[in-house]
Amino acid sequence: MPAKRLPIACALVLSLPSPPVHAVVPEAAADARARATEQQMTDAERFSLVWGLMPMGFDGKRDPRVPPDAVPSAGYVPGVPRLGVPALRETDGSLGVTNPSGFRPGDTATALPAGLALGATFHPALAHEAGALVGREARARGFNVLLGGGVNLARDPRNGRNFEYYSEDPLLSAAMGSEAIRGTQAEGVISTIKHYSLNDNESNRHQLDAIIDPAAHRESDLLAFQLAIERSGPGAVMAAYNQVNGVYACGNAYLLNGVLKGAWGYPGWVMSDWGAVHDWTYALAGLDQESGAQLDAKIWFDQPLRAAYAAGRLPKSRLSDMVRRILRSIYAIGLDQPRPAPAIAPERHHATALEVARQGIVLLKNQGALPLANGKQRIAVIGGQAHLGVLSGGGSSLVTPPGGFAAVVPIGGEGNMAALRNQYFVPSSPLTELRKLLPDASIRYDAGAFPAEAAALARRSDVAIVFAIRHESEEFDSPDMSLPFGQAALIEAVARANPNTLVVLETGNPVEMPWRGQVKAILEAWFPGEAGGQAIAEVLTGRVNPSGRLPMTFPVDQAQLPRPRLPGLGTPYGAPVTVRYQEGAEVGYRWYTLTGATPLFPFGHGLSYTSFAYRDFTVSAGEALSASFTVQNVGPRAGADVPQVYLTAAPEGKRARLLGFERVELRPGEARRVTVPLDPRLLARFDSKAGRWRLAKGTYRLALGKNATELVQAAHLTMDSRLFGH
Ligand code: BGC
């Protein structure tokens, strides 16, 4: 379709979006109360708030310093009962309430799909519901702090923790992360936002030094944090394990005192990641609380910090500030208020997990093979333990689902998290669910262990569906983008035996697909959570019309990546590693625009069983900046679309950036006019010298697209030059 130019002559008067109200108690009141309480404290009480322990056992024994009322979990900080300050009872995580090492026997929780699945929904309201669900389940167990809100950008498709995060894009990650945080905090539970910043690779994360240009950092990972923090007001920020430009994130004065508390005016507290503190001086750099302190070489914020205080090296004002920040979040989110225990409706929570999985599944390719018809056909289901369940990621975010895991297959490895590097199967079997939805079909299962055996079954079937899985785990990057355990060869053998072969991927990252031309359809189901098998079966059979869109670019292979070789690959556990993020802010789809390479599947891509048309794309300037368009369902079925607005060029040249999006559900023939707000920071560049955002004078070209590369309509804006914000 030819690009349509809409000249807009006026210069803009830009106003930044005003931060929404997110605190339960007005900010000023929370600040005043925090000041008043802190003033009444003894120094011993002050120091008791600035470090916490893991209230669970090591070597099977409980730490004697942990009081008996602490619920076994990730973190505990005692309260000050005489002043009504509650203890902080902290649990992971973003994908559901965790039960590390099964320390709370029999305690299972709703296991949500991966963060990437939620990101793929492009549906912030669903993220809100997911965040609220975890908040309720946390509070029902006595927790009042959720270690959630992972908004690190998925920069590298080999990063072992991408499955916990939302996307490669700052706007999408902030839109989803902020709603999850708001949902949690509306339940009276503080949420963190984490891991600040650039913990974007896992290999040797404790030694990792992330090198980046500071302006590019502001326009990428830090922009995701900035947008999410101002939209949701998380009570705490968790600083990361790694170094940023040579300084550990937990002791990084530029990141903590400078950007977070200075430029952004963040009023809450900064806690460390678990085992990420290396010195008491981190308190001077802006760290307010040491977490999981047994994991550090010393409890730096206990004796060493007291000694520094006694010697006058930690000013009294700084100690008071650390404590006040913690207290103000407690008051702002209402942790000190009596609240009845929430009534949990497990079926409702299961329904939310199902809905996230449904909306997050992305149909990548479909040559008329899907949806499957319900008839007397022979279907071969092959591999991926599809008879047992669906895969989940490993690490601190791991949730034990109702009924426990269907199977746990140890992978092994070195380091602190090796015991959690397993294939975890959540008991929602795609095979069982397909049989329910296709009662007239004859469905046979083959484990996929031997390609020849699987091919033999495929040959005598009408359709073959291969389930391909790839485990991911905290602290482990994958060495490359392949499917492990010979699954590519399995897919190729099956596809040779049956031209009607479909592939369902359960992965926490993009994978390479050398076999893509030989199969009829490809579905990315991510780690789809406790209702994942049902959601996959519903999409395959057309009960659910797929609407997920890729939150990460799928490269053809790793030669297309900014770092074709994974930094630190093959070095022993604990070896120093430097990751040079030389792509700067040009992460994901922006890298492909810059290099001109064509990815396998672009960011924002996802097919449907119906089709959509766009018209009347306009942009409007004035008090606020916005884009409007009409989207219509022009196909035969009801479905949801996600039209996306991109910047395609700025005055200085070509530049790709997601500016806005909206998930729209439409009946056949139905049309809707949509307006999305545009944040001027997404058009601007960060000027490090001025410490402000800079808009250059000239023409900005925008496009309405189906994804980052399929752009359907164009418009443009003319702007005056301007410095704004921080
Ligand atoms: C992770 C954090 C987590 C913490 C507590 C760390 O290993 O990086 O995301 O919140 O453990 O479990």
Side-chain angles (χ1 to χ4, degrees):
M1 198 173 290
K4 197 157 98 192
R5 295 271 155 79
L6 302 176
I8 293 174
C10 64
L12 289 178
V13 183
L14 291 170
S15 61
L16 291 178
S18 52
V21 177
H22 38 67
V24 174
V25 171
E27 314 259 314
D31 284 334
R33 281 191 67 196
R35 217 173 15 256
T37 306
E38 187 274 329
Q39 275 164 0
Q40 296 173 58
M41 283 184 172
T42 62
D43 279 347
E45 286 166 340
R46 292 189 179 95
F47 278 105
S48 74
L49 284 182
V50 298
W51 59 277
L53 291 168
M54 297 177 78
M56 50 180 177
F58 290 87
D59 305 326
K61 285 185 238 91
R62 217 175 144 98
D63 191 312
R65 290 168 296 190
V66 174
D69 72 322
V71 187
S73 67
Y76 177 84
V77 180
V80 183
R82 99 180 160 87
L83 297 172
V85 177
L88 298 176
R89 299 166 194 275
E90 303 167 338
T91 179
D92 285 293
S94 313
L95 313 179
V97 174
T98 66
N99 183 359
S101 312
F103 255 91
R104 302 190 307 276
D107 188 9
T108 65
T110 305
L112 290 167
L116 279 179
L118 196 50
T121 70
F122 279 66
H123 196 173
L126 200 51
H128 190 101
E129 210 174 309
L133 173 160
V134 187
R136 276 192 296 275
E137 294 194 6
R139 200 153 58 77
R141 289 163 175 78
F143 297 117
N144 54 15
V145 178
L146 184 77
L147 308 172
V151 299
N152 294 76
L153 295 189
R155 281 178 177 262
D156 188 324
R158 296 158 301 195
N159 177 26
R161 267 186 119 172
N162 280 345
F163 75 90
E164 291 185 48
Y165 304 142
Y166 297 107
S167 83
E168 68 188 22
D169 178 74
L171 174 66
L172 179 59
S173 293
M176 304 303 292
S178 61
E179 282 307 319
I181 292 166
R182 284 165 61 100
T184 299
Q185 296 201 152
E187 294 295 328
V189 171
I190 287 175
S191 176
T192 61
I193 188 167
K194 67 187 187 184
H195 308 87
Y196 184 80
S197 168
L198 282 177
N199 192 169
D200 295 350
N201 282 93
E202 286 293 298
S203 301
N204 290 324
R205 61 182 176 174
H206 293 271
Q207 290 75 27
L208 189 156
D209 189 5
I211 307 290
I212 195 165
D213 167 67
H217 194 189
R218 288 296 309 266
E219 293 174 17
S220 55
D221 283 62
L222 288 180
L223 184 56
F225 276 95
Q226 185 177 12
L227 296 174
I229 287 172
E230 61 189 35
R231 289 175 183 206
S232 62
V237 171
M238 188 193 294
Y241 282 121
N242 52 286
Q243 304 168 64
V244 176
N245 292 333
V247 183
Y248 271 107
C250 288
N252 195 310
Y254 163 76
L255 285 177
L256 303 181
N257 283 340
V259 177
L260 178 67
K261 294 179 177 177
W264 302 345
Y266 176 67
W269 92 92
V270 181
M271 65 167 75
S272 72
D273 202 337
W274 271 233
V277 179
H278 311 287
D279 205 284
W280 73 265
T281 54
Y282 286 14
L284 301 176
L287 186 69
D288 300 305
Q289 193 179 59
E290 179 181 10
S291 311
Q294 297 105 321
L295 298 182
D296 289 323
K298 279 187 195 163
I299 302 187
W300 293 102
F301 279 20
D302 188 17
Q303 291 309 333
L305 196 66
R306 286 173 205 251
Y309 180 68
R313 297 174 71 198
L314 175 78
K316 168 86 196 307
S317 57
R318 175 63 188 124
L319 178 62
S320 295
D321 176 51
M322 293 162 79
V323 170
R324 285 181 193 179
R325 285 172 173 277
I326 298 166
L327 293 174
R328 83 151 298 281
S329 289
I330 289 177
Y331 297 138
I333 317 301
L335 262 57
D336 61 325
Q337 302 301 317
R339 278 178 90 121
I344 305 290
E347 333 69 55
R348 245 191 74 207
H349 286 192
H350 181 77
T352 299
L354 173 61
E355 200 49 36
V356 176
R358 283 172 172 159
Q359 294 188 22
I361 290 175
V362 184
L363 180 58
L364 295 172
K365 169 176 177 173
N366 187 16
Q367 289 180 327
L370 291 175
L372 296 169
N374 184 21
K376 287 207 170 310
Q377 53 181 329
R378 295 160 306 166
I379 300 179
V381 169
I382 295 165
Q385 312 286 14
H387 62 313
L388 292 180
V390 289
L391 195 62
S392 159
S396 60
S397 67
L398 177 75
V399 179
T400 310
F405 293 106
V408 179
V409 183
I411 302 288
E414 282 186 80
N416 290 342
M417 305 293 283
L420 291 173
R421 192 190 191 201
N422 303 312
Q423 286 178 333
Y424 293 95
F425 292 94
V426 176
S428 176
S429 153
L431 175 66
T432 308
E433 298 296 332
L434 270 174
R435 284 188 170 137
K436 280 190 209 158
L437 295 184
L438 299 174
D440 297 335
S442 151
I443 306 183
R444 309 278 301 276
Y445 178 70
D446 179 274
F450 299 101
E453 201 172 57
L457 175 63
R459 205 166 289 119
R460 48 177 209 274
S461 304
D462 301 306
V463 185
I465 310 175
V466 184
F467 283 79
I469 59 177
R470 191 172 93 152
H471 58 274
E472 302 281 359
S473 202
E474 180 174 340
E475 226 176 53
F476 295 92
D477 288 334
S478 298
D480 56 34
M481 290 175 44
S482 63
L483 284 169
F485 304 119
Q487 292 173 97
L490 171 70
I491 295 170
E492 276 159 10
V494 171
R496 271 197 303 276
N498 188 327
N500 213 13
T501 292
L502 327 175
V503 174
V504 177
L505 295 165
E506 291 166 27
T507 70
N509 261 316
V511 290
E512 61 191 21
M513 307 181 201
W515 37 262
R516 63 191 173 275
Q518 298 150 49
V519 303
K520 284 262 168 67
I522 308 171
L523 207 68
E524 177 56 81
W526 315 108
F527 300 147
E530 69 175 47
Q534 181 180 339
I536 291 170
E538 288 175 340
V539 170
L540 288 173
T541 56
R543 301 284 155 105
V544 166
N545 191 351
S547 61
R549 300 290 183 267
L550 288 182
M552 283 182 79
T553 306
F554 274 46
V556 171
D557 54 34
Q558 49 183 5
Q560 290 189 324
L561 299 177
R563 284 161 298 286
R565 188 184 153 80
L566 179 76
L569 176 63
T571 55
Y573 183 74
V577 54
T578 300
V579 185
R580 292 182 193 283
Y581 292 110
Q582 84 271 9
E583 72 277 31
E586 307 305 317
V587 181
Y589 60 91
R590 286 149 67 190
W591 175 250
Y592 291 81
T593 303
L594 194 74
T595 58
T598 305
L600 180 55
F601 297 110
F603 174 85
H605 167 72
L607 303 173
S608 165
Y609 298 146
T610 187
S611 41
F612 300 92
Y614 304 157
R615 58 176 188 269
D616 304 330
F617 178 46
T618 59
V619 284
S620 108
E623 264 303 288
L625 197 55
S626 66
S628 302
F629 49 84
T630 299
V631 49
Q632 184 171 15
N633 182 344
V634 292
R637 291 171 172 251
D641 189 25
V642 184
Q644 300 152 38
V645 178
Y646 290 92
L647 173 68
T648 57
E652 67 271 21
K654 209 163 154 183
R655 183 136 60 90
R657 211 183 240 286
L658 180 69
L659 298 177
F661 60 86
E662 178 97 359
R663 184 177 187 279
V664 194
E665 294 203 18
L666 296 169
R667 294 186 302 275
E670 190 182 354
R672 187 155 329 143
R673 185 91 186 137
V674 174
T675 297
V676 293
L678 308 177
D679 190 312
R681 284 169 291 189
L682 299 173
L683 299 175
R685 304 304 308 243
F686 191 75
D687 181 333
S688 284
K689 223 156 137 211
R692 310 197 70 188
W693 295 90
R694 181 183 291 283
L695 268 172
K697 180 181 166 65
T699 301
Y700 291 77
R701 300 198 182 283
L702 275 63
L704 174 65
K706 300 215 165 259
N707 56 55
T709 60
E710 207 180 330
L711 304 174
V712 177
Q713 290 206 300
H716 72 269
L717 281 168
T718 306
M719 312 272 229
D720 261 349
S721 67
R722 186 184 158 89
L723 266 183
F724 65 98
H726 288 284

